[in-house]
Each structure stands twice: as structure tokens, then as C-alpha cells.
Amino acid sequence: MKYVKLFYAQCKLSVMAATMYRANFWLMLIQSILNTFMTLLSVEFIYGSVESIAGWSKEDMIVLICTSLIVNQMYRGIIHFNQNRFVNGVGSGGFDKLLLRPVNLLFQVNTGPIHISGLLSIIAPVIVLLSQLSKMSSHISATQISLYLLFLINGVVVLASFMLLLYTLAFVFIKVDGINNIYYLMMDMASKPQEMFGKECLYGFLWVIPAIPLANAPAMVLLGKRSVLPLALYLLIGVTFVLLSTVSLHTGRKRYTSASS
Amino acid sequence: MSIIQVEHVSKVYRVHEKPEGFRSAMKDLFQRRYIEKTAVDELNFSVEQGEIVGLLGENGAGKTTTLKMLTGILYPTAGKVTVAGYCPTERKKDFLKQISFVMGNKSDVNWDLPAVDTFRYQQLIYDVPEVEFSENVSYMAELLEVKHLLKTQLRRLSLGERMKMELINCFLYTPKVVFLDEPTLGLDLRSQIAIRTFLKKYRNDHKTTMMITSHYMDDIEETCDRVILLQKGQKTFDGDIAELKKPEMSFKEGILNLMGSGEKQK
Amino acid sequence: MKKYLYGFQLFFLNSLQYRFNTVINLFFGNMSLLVTMFFWVLIFNGDFGKSLNGFTLSGMITYFVISNILSKFTLQGSGFYYTSMVKNGSLGSVLLKPYRLEWTVYFQQISTSITGLIPQLLFVLCVLPFISGFLTWNVSVWNILSMVMFIVIASITSHLLWSIFGFMAFWMEEATAVMWSLAVLLNMAMGMYIPLDFFPKGWLSVLEKLPFSAWGYLPSKIYLGLLSVEKQLQLLWIHLSWIVILLLLHRFIWKAGLKRFSSVGG
């Protein structure tokens, strides 16, 4: 309960801080709309020349892309900003402050100030997704929607814990901002149909670079597409990466040298 | 039993030796050289409840490293540290609620918000009851003369005022042991005096144990009961502040004298 | 000239200090190219004989390889450099230095681009044996010369335009949000997401005359031999005129911004 309260307080503080700069607040919203609009415009132009891509119609592709945008922005808005603060903190000594607080370290590393622009960016893809769903509503059951939400959250968990696992390398190499490239790559892959990976590489993109559970899994559930893999496997991947990142964080802490003041 | 106990504590850092020039940088990309740097060497001391101890030494003497080992931020390479009966690196919640670390150059207060909002967040983190929270904020804000600034956005405050807010934030949950690393760094004389007065008064009222590092000798002379001098990671003096206040020389001269004789001993 | 080049060397050395980061950047910073490649294979259904808007599968993949490499010469960083300097006030101290700031920034950004380009080229070389079958090798001396001209133009126009965007910081407290929005728009307009030929009819004739088309789309099309010499020369004049226009605009806005900077005090 304390952690829910802490999270709520952090959200409140971040919104208060962001509203201090009102103009920027609105600009961030415009940026998010533009981002979604440009991505969807590309899809529109591509589907102007082809009927379907590996069995994914334009409507399916919009659901997939919106899902990947939602997962991405949830991670970016709530977690990525704080994980980056943690990485910088390991290099600059700012991590000291986290070690001093009587709060779970994993919670502190993943949460903190909310990146409002990231969260606002969810609005545009959510609206597009909802409008898409309203067109398809006759084919979609409540179970599908509940499962979609479950796998959506699982996608965020997989992404967050996989990235944290990589970011804990900061304890060894100090400067690891290059890892952000893996995040961008993951999101790029997540927005593409899983057929792109081929059967040979499928397991690599589940366990080594887990891009498939992020958006393909929830989108397939929602669209009623037949999954090649058992659905529980995606959840197992989530649990595994949470465990791995926790162990890595606590092991890495022993190597922390705290930059001199 | 002492509230802080340090037994044979050492800290060794492994540092990458960075070469000069383009060619060496390319070579360094494939083959790296490391050197070991001893920051703290076989340190022993203890601190009693309610004592204010000044940790002195030149830059790189190991003061901050020592404080970081005492707060659990750093693991000692060797030796044993006990603070308030706990091993700091275990990060037990009860332990963390009893200590505080004031870093002169690293603020924890949100710059975009009034300080009171950060205090509320701190209250939540440390489970401070509402009555205690209001009493503490009001007591400290009055003592530091910043009551009228509690609702002003932090970035609009002066450095001295911000440091005072940082102090309130760190003392909000009535910690038993407080570590202060250069608490008056870069502050004007008036703010320095206000902070020293605050620390003395707070200790008298709450029997708080404090360890302070500072390059301003006035901070040490006016607030501390005892001084520990570190030189190249080793303790070269540990004694009552009165021992250093002699009629024939000032406190600063006494410290310099000690540093000189410490160098000779080494 | 020497001091600008030395600045370049320092920047480059700094990038080599952290080898883990360098290796990670090498592999993962460029892998999105493969993702794009496989996505287009999926769109074309692996059919090399198929043509979409004048592009075959190998032409399309070559387009993305080339435009990705060339986009490194789009000096977006110039804009963010100015914004951060105005925001944190460091512009004041930079203005005192005895050099022309716009060229220092240009060379600094070019050095960042080249530092970024080296791993990208290395990456392409590493994967070349696997992807060479997907690429079109359509090299002529004229095409290469023409491409180089467009790249030089692109680096200058992008530097000038992004600097102008960066000057917004003189008037706006948070200009970065606007700049990120512009970056998204410009990426689309320079053909980074899809070639401009996929846009509805009529858009292309306008977009190819704007400075952004030279930042990726035009040089890639020239390499593929999809642009006649006559058309290339016609567009070359248009893009050269953009340099003059942007240079004048750059000077004008910079002066106005500086007046504002000195009156507000950064």
C-alpha cells in the first residue's frame, strides 16, 4: 500500500512540476499527436501500394503499431526516464540518494518522476486504437479485451525488466547510454509483425532480445490471430526477466564505487 | 555501546589508467591498464550517542568515502562497520530510517516545486506521522528562518536558502545519526552561521549523533566535540577539540600543525 | 582551421574512452537498418521482380542503406546545442572565446556525425556479405560526385536550419519540445520513413524542392540512378539557393536572439 501511495505522490509531483511550464505541457501533447500521425501516415502510404503484409491487413497493422506505441510510451513515461536517472546516478554518484532511502531499491530504480511527455503520448495511439476497435467491435469479446490488457502490461514489464538488466551493466562499465539503442531497436522490432523474424529466429526474439512479447502478443490476442506459441510463455518471459533484473541490480550494487564529491 | 563502530576498515578502488594522445587511446580500446587506489586504510574509531565529530583531511584523504561506508552506500573492501547496531550495507529499513546523509553538493529537493511538496513526499517515504511532520517542519523552519519561503519554488531561492531546505528535508524524520558532507559548501557567512547554530541547537534538543566533513574550519571549531584527522586514508589524529584550542595558536594553526606532523609520521 | 580540427580530435577521443559503449553503439545503433530491410522484404513478399512506385526490392533496400548513412550528415545536434547553451547560460562564456561560433558548432557537429558514421560504416561492412545480394550496385562517377555535392549542401543547410530552430530558446523557456516535433516532421519530409515517391501525387514536386529532400532522399535516388542529370542540376541550383537564404536568416535571427539574451541575462 505504501508503494501505491508513493507512486501516486510521484505522479502528483511530476504533474505539478510539469504544469509550472504550461506552454511546454501543450507542446508535448502536440508532439505526441504528430508522432502517432506520422507513423500512421507511413502505414497509409505503404498500404496504398499493397493489400496486406504477411497476412496483416491495414487495420491489423494499425492495431499492432498503436499497441507498440502504447507499450513504448507507458515505459517511456513511467520507467525509462527513471532507469536513465539510475544509470546517470551510478556514474555521477546520484545513486547514493536511492541507497539511503528506506524503500525497495527495484521500486526506486524503476519509478520516480513521471515523464509527462511520454505519458501524454499515449493519448493519440489510444484514441486511434479505440476508433479502430469500434469498427471491429462485433468480432471482439470481453475476454479478448481483458487478455489484451494483461499482455499489454506484461509487455511493459518485459521491456522494463529487460532494459534494467542491461542498465545494471553501468555498475561495471559506468557509461552505458549506448544501451538506449537496444531499446530503440526493440521498439522498432515490436511494431513489426512477428512473421518478419522467421521461425528460425523466433526464440531469439523471445528470450535474448524479447521484442515479440511487447506488442505482437497483445495485438494477436485482440485480433484473434492464432499464436504459434502458448500464451502462458509470454507471461513466463515477463517473470523471468523480472527475476534476472532483480538479481543483477543487487549483485551490481556491490561493485558501486560512488563518484567522489 | 558506541552508536558508530569502525573496525579495521579499508576501501580500495580499481581505477582505469587513462592514457594521453590519440594512438594510446586506440590501443586502450583493446588493452586496458588498471591501478589500485587505497582511499581508506585500516581505519578504527567509535562515536558515542549525541557526539558531534568532525572528519578532517585534505581533498582525497578519504573523508567522503568513510561517510559513504558508514551510510551503506559503499561496501568496505575489508573491516567491519556498525551504525546504530546495524551493518549499513544490508540496507535494513529500520536502519535507513535512523540515519540521514546531507550532501552539500547534491540536493534531493525538487527544483520545480515549493520545498513543502518535497517534504510531503519525504514524509511518505519515512512514514512520519502528521503531527510529528508539522511540528518538525515548523520547528526547523523557524530555527533556520525560512518559514516564509516554504511555498516558494525552489529554483527561485538562493543557494543558502536551498541548503536550509535540504537540511529540513534530511532532518524531517528525526534521524538518530546524521552524516554531513560539506554542509556549508559555497554558502555566504550568514548562512554558514545559521546552519552551524541549527546543528548545535538540534543536537542539544534531540541528542542526535553527527559526523561532519568540511573545509571550513569554523564549521568544525564551532560545532564539533571531537576531531578525527585523515591523511591519505589513514587516521593520524583522534581527539577532543579542546586539545587543539591552545592559547599560543589558533584552531586552524593547530590543524595545520597536526597535518604537518602527520605527514612526517607517515 | 587547426583549432577546429583539434576540437574534432578531442571529441573523437572522448568517444573512445568508454569501449563498452563504443561496441554497443557499433552493433545496436545501426541494427534498425536490418529491421527496416526485413520489413520491406516482408512488404515485397520476397519478390525481387516486383516494383512499387518505381522501386524494386533491392532498390528499396539500397535506398534505406544509403539514406540511413547519409542522414548522419543532417546536423540536428546544432539546434539542441544552442538550446542547451541558452538554457543553462553557458552561451555567455562561449561568446567570449575568440572564434566564430557558427563554424565551431558546425565542425563539432560534423565530428559527431563522422564519429557516428564510422561505426555505421563498420556495421554495414560487417553485414555486407549477408546483405549484398539485396543491394543494387549502380555506381557511376557522375552519380558519386553529384551525391557528394548534395551531402555537403545537406550538412550546411541542416546545420543552419537546426541552428535557427535552436535560437527559439532565446524566446521560449522550453524549445526542445518544439524541436522534437519538428524532427519527426522533417524525418518524414526527408524520406527517412518511406521514399517520397510513396506520397500522394503532387506532394513530391513540392517536397523535393525543400531543403530536407537533400538530407536523405535526393542523394539516395541519385545513387540508384533514378534521377536524370538534367533534374539533378535543376535541383542543385535550388538547394544552393537555400544555403544563401538560410545563411541570411541565420544571421538575422542570431542577432535578434543575442539582443534578447543580453537584455534578459540568460
Side-chain angles (χ1 to χ4, degrees):
Chain A
M1 198 58 203
K2 179 182 171 182
Y3 288 95
V4 176
K5 275 188 191 166
L6 274 175
F7 183 69
Y8 176 66
Q10 281 161 348
C11 294
K12 226 168 56 177
L13 286 178
S14 304
V15 173
M16 279 157 67
T19 47
M20 293 264 173
Y21 307 102
R22 256 188 328 174
N24 198 38
F25 194 81
W26 293 114
L27 281 168
M28 287 193 278
L29 190 63
I30 294 169
Q31 187 201 339
S32 82
I33 296 169
L34 260 179
N35 236 329
T36 313
F37 182 67
M38 287 296 149
T39 315
L40 294 177
L41 205 61
S42 303
V43 174
E44 187 68 39
F45 291 166
I46 291 171
Y47 275 93
S49 306
V50 291
E51 284 283 303
S52 97
I53 300 173
W56 292 69
S57 67
K58 187 168 90 180
E59 290 70 29
D60 294 348
M61 192 63 90
I62 290 173
V63 169
L64 176 67
I65 288 176
C66 287
T67 306
S68 91
L69 284 172
I70 294 168
V71 170
N72 185 15
Q73 303 306 355
M74 275 170 79
Y75 170 68
R76 200 164 74 95
I78 303 167
I79 302 161
H80 185 231
F81 183 65
N82 294 298
Q83 288 185 344
N84 264 335
R85 270 191 352 146
F86 151 70
V87 172
N88 294 333
V90 169
S92 68
F95 184 58
D96 293 1
K97 291 279 181 191
L98 305 194
L99 289 170
L100 291 168
R101 290 189 194 132
V103 179
N104 181 290
L105 204 54
L106 193 68
F107 177 83
Q108 288 192 76
V109 166
N110 285 306
T111 62
I114 306 288
H115 191 235
I116 302 294
S117 120
L119 267 191
L120 284 179
S121 304
I122 290 181
I123 298 172
V126 165
I127 292 173
V128 177
L129 184 74
L130 288 177
S131 78
Q132 197 62 42
L133 287 184
S134 66
K135 285 182 207 161
M136 304 157 66
S137 57
S138 53
H139 316 291
I140 295 171
S141 65
T143 323
Q144 268 172 298
I145 292 176
S146 322
L147 278 175
Y148 173 76
L149 292 175
L150 173 70
F151 282 99
L152 191 79
I153 291 167
N154 185 59
V156 180
V157 170
V158 170
L159 179 60
S161 41
F162 175 70
M163 288 314 296
L164 180 61
L165 180 66
L166 298 176
Y167 285 136
T168 51
L169 288 169
F171 287 119
V172 185
F173 299 106
I174 307 296
K175 191 171 165 152
V176 293
D177 52 349
I179 287 176
N180 283 331
N181 286 314
I182 301 181
Y183 158 53
Y184 303 137
L185 181 73
M186 290 262 288
M187 289 325 302
D188 196 10
M189 290 194 288
S191 62
K192 309 283 187 295
Q194 71 167 29
E195 284 77 1
M196 192 181 81
F197 304 112
K199 280 187 186 127
E200 306 79 14
C201 302
L202 202 60
Y203 282 93
F205 290 103
L206 283 171
W207 291 104
V208 184
I209 298 180
I212 297 174
L214 306 190
N216 269 271
M220 282 192 302
V221 171
L222 190 67
L223 295 167
K225 280 182 176 284
R226 209 173 63 81
S227 173
V228 193
L229 303 156
L231 290 176
L233 182 73
Y234 297 118
L235 301 178
L236 180 69
I237 292 169
V239 175
T240 310
F241 277 104
V242 169
L243 287 175
L244 285 175
S245 60
T246 312
V247 170
S248 180
L249 180 66
H250 289 285
T251 316
R253 187 169 85 81
K254 291 182 183 149
R255 291 187 65 123
Y256 178 55
T257 50
S258 178
S260 152
S261 56
Chain B
M1 191 181 150
S2 312
I3 194 153
I4 299 175
Q5 272 193 309
V6 175
E7 294 165 50
H8 307 289
V9 166
S10 298
K11 180 73 190 175
V12 179
Y13 292 112
R14 188 165 170 256
V15 192
H16 165 215
E17 207 176 29
K18 291 191 176 166
E20 190 193 331
F22 187 77
R23 197 174 290 191
S24 318
M26 291 306 290
K27 197 176 151 197
D28 182 66
L29 199 59
F30 301 99
Q31 198 179 12
R32 227 153 234 201
R33 280 179 58 179
Y34 292 92
I35 44 169
E36 288 201 334
K37 200 180 153 208
T38 306
V40 173
D41 194 6
E42 274 283 321
L43 196 60
N44 289 290
F45 66 84
S46 60
V47 179
E48 300 305 318
Q49 170 112 39
E51 223 180 346
I52 303 189
V53 177
L55 204 53
L56 292 183
E58 292 166 343
N59 288 331
K63 306 182 296 291
T64 307
T65 301
T66 306
L67 291 194
K68 285 182 177 173
M69 286 192 287
L70 292 175
T71 46
I73 291 172
L74 291 177
Y75 280 78
T77 312
K80 191 181 166 200
V81 176
T82 318
V83 176
Y86 293 91
C87 168
T89 48
E90 285 175 7
R91 291 189 68 247
K92 290 266 167 35
K93 276 181 193 154
D94 287 336
F95 163 71
L96 294 170
K97 283 182 182 177
Q98 290 183 48
I99 65 149
S100 187
F101 193 0
V102 182
M103 299 183 216
N105 54 357
K106 281 178 202 142
S107 177
D108 208 16
V109 188
N110 191 323
W111 275 55
D112 291 323
L113 296 172
V116 70
D117 287 320
T118 306
F119 299 159
R120 282 282 172 200
Y121 185 58
Q122 188 85 330
Q123 176 193 10
L124 206 58
I125 290 177
Y126 287 91
D127 303 311
V128 184
E130 185 59 35
V131 182
E132 192 185 328
F133 172 80
S134 314
E135 276 175 12
N136 284 357
V137 172
S138 152
Y139 161 78
M140 289 189 279
E142 249 168 53
L143 212 57
L144 289 161
E145 296 168 355
V146 287
K147 206 161 190 176
H148 60 294
L149 297 172
L150 288 174
K151 288 180 180 163
T152 310
Q153 193 187 22
L154 204 77
R155 64 169 74 243
R156 304 200 185 280
L157 301 183
S158 71
L159 182 66
E161 288 161 349
R162 283 203 299 269
M163 190 61 215
K164 288 176 184 173
M165 296 303 181
E166 177 71 16
L167 278 176
I168 298 179
N169 198 41
C170 288
F171 281 82
L172 196 67
Y173 48 97
T174 333
K176 260 191 195 167
V177 188
V178 180
F179 301 93
L180 300 107
D181 192 15
E182 314 257 5
T184 57
L185 188 72
L187 302 191
D188 60 45
L189 197 62
R190 222 180 132 86
S191 304
Q192 285 182 33
I193 294 169
I195 287 174
R196 282 177 214 141
T197 315
F198 168 79
L199 293 177
K200 278 190 288 187
K201 174 94 171 67
Y202 193 93
R203 188 271 300 265
N204 292 340
D205 290 352
H206 296 86
K207 294 280 164 285
T208 311
T209 310
M210 297 187 198
M211 281 196 83
I212 305 177
T213 77
S214 179
H215 288 293
Y216 299 127
M217 286 308 117
D218 291 342
D219 285 354
I220 306 294
E221 189 179 2
E222 285 178 32
T223 52
C224 298
D225 311 310
R226 196 178 125 200
V227 166
I228 294 175
L229 182 67
L230 292 182
Q231 285 179 286
K232 292 185 179 157
Q234 288 179 342
K235 187 174 83 175
T236 52
F237 175 81
D238 184 350
D240 206 274
I241 197 134
E243 286 179 45
L244 296 164
K245 289 180 178 173
K246 289 173 186 158
E248 68 271 20
M249 62 172 95
S250 68
F251 178 71
K252 279 178 205 161
E253 286 169 332
I255 295 287
L256 281 173
N257 207 13
L258 263 180
M259 283 184 172
S261 57
E263 282 296 325
K264 275 178 208 160
Q265 272 174 30
K266 283 166 81 86
Chain C
M1 192 67 188
K2 214 172 169 184
K3 58 187 162 192
Y4 299 121
L5 288 177
Y6 188 65
F8 168 85
Q9 191 181 330
L10 278 184
F11 222 78
F12 190 70
L13 280 178
N14 189 36
S15 313
L16 291 182
Q17 284 295 348
Y18 295 96
R19 57 181 170 173
F20 170 77
N21 223 30
T22 312
V23 173
I24 287 286
N25 275 326
L26 170 65
F27 280 103
F28 293 99
N30 305 295
M31 228 181 241
S32 63
L33 192 63
L34 293 184
V35 177
T36 308
M37 190 179 128
F38 286 116
F39 186 50
W40 280 97
V41 172
L42 209 64
I43 294 172
F44 275 81
N45 210 6
D47 185 353
F48 280 85
K50 199 171 171 178
S51 168
L52 294 177
N53 289 313
F55 284 86
T56 59
L57 176 55
S58 57
M60 185 62 82
I61 289 170
T62 313
Y63 173 87
F64 278 105
V65 172
I66 304 269
S67 63
N68 250 283
I69 291 173
L70 298 188
S71 69
K72 280 276 183 287
F73 290 98
T74 305
L75 306 184
Q76 226 181 50
S78 302
F80 291 97
Y81 181 79
Y82 281 112
T83 343
S84 71
M85 278 210 304
V86 173
K87 205 179 159 192
N88 64 29
S90 60
L91 183 66
S93 62
V94 174
L95 287 173
L96 297 175
K97 292 190 177 158
Y99 52 54
R100 292 197 61 163
L101 188 60
E102 70 259 45
W103 291 115
T104 311
V105 176
Y106 177 74
F107 277 100
Q108 220 175 56
Q109 294 305 320
I110 280 280
S111 73
T112 317
S113 299
I114 294 175
T115 324
L117 194 64
I118 292 168
Q120 194 166 21
L121 288 176
L122 273 174
F123 177 81
V124 172
L125 278 177
C126 288
V127 296
L128 201 59
F130 309 102
I131 65 166
S132 62
F134 291 100
L135 300 176
T136 301
W137 303 92
N138 195 7
V139 194
S140 77
V141 178
W142 166 254
N143 280 354
I144 295 292
L145 270 176
S146 178
M147 262 176 79
V148 170
M149 273 192 283
F150 270 100
I151 293 164
V152 174
I153 292 172
S155 74
I156 298 172
T157 52
S158 62
H159 165 67
L160 292 172
L161 197 65
W162 274 104
S163 300
I164 292 170
F165 293 153
F167 298 160
M168 281 190 300
F170 286 121
W171 291 273
M172 294 173 71
E173 200 163 353
E174 288 281 333
T176 30
V178 184
M179 287 169 60
W180 282 119
S181 304
L182 285 169
V184 176
L185 276 176
L186 297 192
N187 271 339
M188 190 77 178
M190 65 192 264
M192 283 303 287
Y193 297 149
I194 41 169
L196 303 183
D197 310 74
F198 279 72
F199 285 47
K201 303 259 174 297
W203 288 38
L204 176 63
S205 58
V206 178
L207 285 172
E208 68 181 4
K209 293 184 183 74
L210 296 179
F212 333 115
S213 62
W215 302 356
Y217 172 75
L218 287 178
S220 311
K221 283 269 283 196
I222 291 169
Y223 174 84
L224 288 169
L226 295 173
L227 217 57
S228 67
V229 175
E230 199 186 19
K231 182 91 181 171
Q232 285 177 38
L233 288 173
Q234 183 207 343
L235 288 170
L236 192 68
W237 283 114
I238 294 173
H239 286 273
L240 281 172
S241 334
W242 272 116
I243 294 184
V244 181
I245 296 166
L246 290 172
L247 206 60
L248 291 173
L249 211 59
H250 181 279
R251 295 242 162 109
F252 176 72
I253 299 176
W254 171 245
K255 276 187 184 161
L258 271 190
K259 272 185 200 157
R260 171 139 180 118
F261 183 69
S262 49
S263 64
V264 184

